[in-house]
Amino acid sequence: MAWLGSVLWAAIDEGAVPPDAAFHAVPPPSQAGPISTGCGSGGCWREMVVDIKPPHTAQSLAAEMGLASERCEPMNLWTLRKTCTGIADSGGRGLHIYLQYSLLLSKY
C-alpha cells in the first residue's frame, strides 16, 4: 500500500526536484556555483552554474564529468522515476548543469 502511494504521488508531483547532493562533483580548478530551481510545462529541475577555470573549457569539462549528452540514472523502484543530468544552453556564460526527474513512462 505504501509503495502504491509513493508511485502515485511521484506521478502527480510535478514540482519534485532531485536534491543538491545528486549533482556530480566538479573537477578542480573549476568550481560549482549557485544552484537554482526552475519550472516549466514539463515539470521542475535544479540547475547549477559552474565557474569554468583554465585549463577547462565548457566542452572539456562536460566530457570529463560524463555529460556530453543527457544521461539518466537507474530507476528508483520506490518512486518509479529516474534522475537525469545534462547540460542546459547557457549562451556562452559558463556551464549550466541540470537535474530533473524522469518518470517511468517517459521517453528517457
Side-chain angles (χ1 to χ4, degrees):
M1 193 70 148
W3 176 78
L4 183 58
S6 174
V7 169
L8 290 174
W9 179 252
I12 63 170
D13 186 16
E14 290 185 359
V17 291
D20 292 351
F23 281 104
H24 295 280
V26 176
S30 296
Q31 299 175 334
I35 297 174
S36 61
T37 301
C39 293
S41 62
C44 296
W45 61 89
R46 304 283 289 157
E47 186 172 285
M48 175 174 60
V49 178
V50 178
D51 183 22
I52 302 169
K53 305 280 188 194
H56 290 137
T57 64
Q59 292 79 16
S60 70
L61 185 58
E64 188 173 336
M65 294 178 71
L67 298 173
S69 62
E70 182 178 71
R71 70 174 193 210
C72 297
E73 301 295 325
M75 182 183 9
N76 177 322
L77 296 178
W78 184 249
T79 60
L80 294 184
R81 59 185 172 193
K82 304 170 269 190
T83 300
C84 297
T85 307
I87 298 171
D89 181 21
S90 65
R93 296 169 288 144
L95 181 66
H96 291 233
I97 301 171
Y98 67 85
L99 288 173
Q100 65 185 24
Y101 285 131
S102 179
L103 296 176
L104 170 67
L105 299 176
S106 72
K107 65 179 180 176
Y108 298 104

